Amino acid sequence: MSATPNSATRTTRTSRPRAGGSLRSMLVELGEMGLLSVQVVWMAVRGPFDYGRDTLDQMFSILKQCWIPMAISCTFFGLGAPGLQGGNIYDLFGMPERLGSFFVMASIREFAPWVNAMVVAGVVGSAITADLGARRIREEIDAMEVLGVDPIRALVLPRVVAITIITGLLDVIALCFGLLGGFIAAVPILGANEWAFYNNLFANLTTPDIWGSVVKTTIFGFIIAIVCCYKGIYAKGGAIGVGRAVNQAVVIAFAMIWVVNVVFTNILLGLNPDMQVFK
């Protein structure tokens, strides 16, 4: 009679997932993503450079899909969180015009690149993962390999180059709309003088602020492209597996962007200490 509970206990213990296996799987995936990124970069710089047309088509498609939601998100995020909340603090001291200097840090360095990357990952990254995953489960990628066509070069390379470049370019638009949100909060709502707002903005704006924002966002685009292409091209498990891959790709891309943002910002501020001085 005592054998039954023991066997049930053994069954329960063997069916319990091991944390070490999940950690090992995550590290393997990160390593494979790193190998894929090296492979894509090598293909991009080695040539032949026959991926230009596909890259331009992908960039145009990304621009059409992303610029409107990105512009709306940056404007209202700038208006709400740093604009009204930060502006109310400055208004307590009778200087809402100082919101211009605050937006150098809030918009240009941080939330405009971050919102831009979130929109690209959510809109384009998920679509690319679903597209490549559907090709995998329909065995299109397997057929390309049988025919001697490299799927990494034909499918992944143009998408990675396109997302990397267009994400950095979209950051310029994100900066403009983020500053527009701050201007709306400072001038029409809080009653600041518009020329004083501009003077505070440009008095604190430095060249490393601009190129650092664009470079950081370009790195974000590369991370999004690699993660989403990897999850899509190696998807398995049918339609459910593709949906799971899309979810995992967006979550992993978000997490990696946050980590890289912290590291990049600390390096940028450490190499340019004058950026931390507000005038």
Side-chain angles (χ1 to χ4, degrees):
M1 296 295 293
S2 61
T4 303
N6 290 336
S7 60
T9 304
R10 284 196 298 270
T11 304
T12 303
R13 288 175 179 173
T14 55
S15 62
R16 189 175 299 165
R18 294 181 300 174
S22 301
L23 178 61
R24 190 181 304 111
S25 175
M26 181 184 67
L27 293 177
V28 169
E29 283 196 352
L30 289 176
E32 291 176 347
M33 290 177 192
L35 292 176
L36 178 62
S37 64
V38 172
Q39 185 179 2
V40 169
V41 171
W42 176 246
M43 286 182 177
V45 300
R46 183 190 60 182
F49 305 102
D50 54 354
Y51 53 87
R53 183 61 186 175
D54 291 339
T55 300
L56 290 176
D57 291 340
Q58 291 289 331
M59 290 175 64
F60 183 67
S61 175
I62 295 169
L63 184 62
K64 288 194 302 182
Q65 294 175 15
C66 288
W67 83 269
I68 292 180
M70 183 269 299
I72 295 173
S73 300
C74 286
T75 302
F76 285 95
F77 192 93
L79 173 63
L84 293 177
Q85 309 241 1
N88 282 324
I89 296 176
Y90 282 116
D91 196 41
L92 290 175
F93 297 95
M95 49 180 186
E97 296 84 5
R98 295 294 294 175
L99 193 62
S101 60
F102 176 70
F103 258 74
V104 174
M105 176 196 66
S107 176
I108 296 177
R109 296 181 194 172
E110 291 301 326
F111 86 75
W114 180 77
V115 172
N116 183 19
M118 297 299 104
V119 171
V120 172
V123 175
V124 180
S126 58
I128 286 179
T129 306
D131 176 46
L132 295 178
R135 292 172 185 262
R136 171 62 74 181
I137 65 171
R138 291 198 303 262
E139 300 182 350
E140 292 182 21
I141 297 177
D142 297 328
M144 293 175 66
E145 294 172 343
V146 171
L147 294 173
V149 179
D150 187 358
I152 303 297
R153 183 169 191 85
L155 299 176
V156 174
L157 177 59
R159 288 166 170 80
V160 171
V161 175
I163 295 178
T164 302
I165 295 175
I166 202 65
T167 306
L169 296 178
L170 281 172
D171 182 57
V172 179
I173 304 176
L175 296 179
C176 295
F177 281 99
L179 293 176
L180 174 62
F183 179 84
I184 294 173
V187 178
I189 297 178
L190 297 176
N193 182 272
E194 61 267 24
W195 296 111
F197 177 86
Y198 292 141
N199 288 335
N200 279 282
L201 173 65
F202 290 107
N204 292 274
L205 186 62
T206 63
T207 303
D209 283 315
I210 301 297
W211 69 255
S213 178
V214 175
V215 170
K216 179 168 67 172
T217 314
T218 304
I219 296 173
F220 290 168
F222 182 75
I223 293 172
I224 293 167
I226 290 296
V227 172
C228 294
C229 287
Y230 171 83
K231 280 295 185 178
I233 205 165
Y234 295 113
K236 56 185 178 180
I240 297 177
V242 173
R244 188 181 301 114
V246 170
N247 181 51
Q248 292 175 352
V250 175
V251 171
I252 293 173
F254 282 8
M256 293 182 69
I257 285 171
W258 294 330
V259 173
V260 171
N261 180 55
V262 173
V263 175
F264 185 93
T265 302
N266 278 279
I267 294 175
L268 183 65
L269 294 177
L271 295 176
N272 302 274
D274 56 310
M275 294 173 58
Q276 305 182 57
V277 178
F278 285 91
K279 305 176 183 67

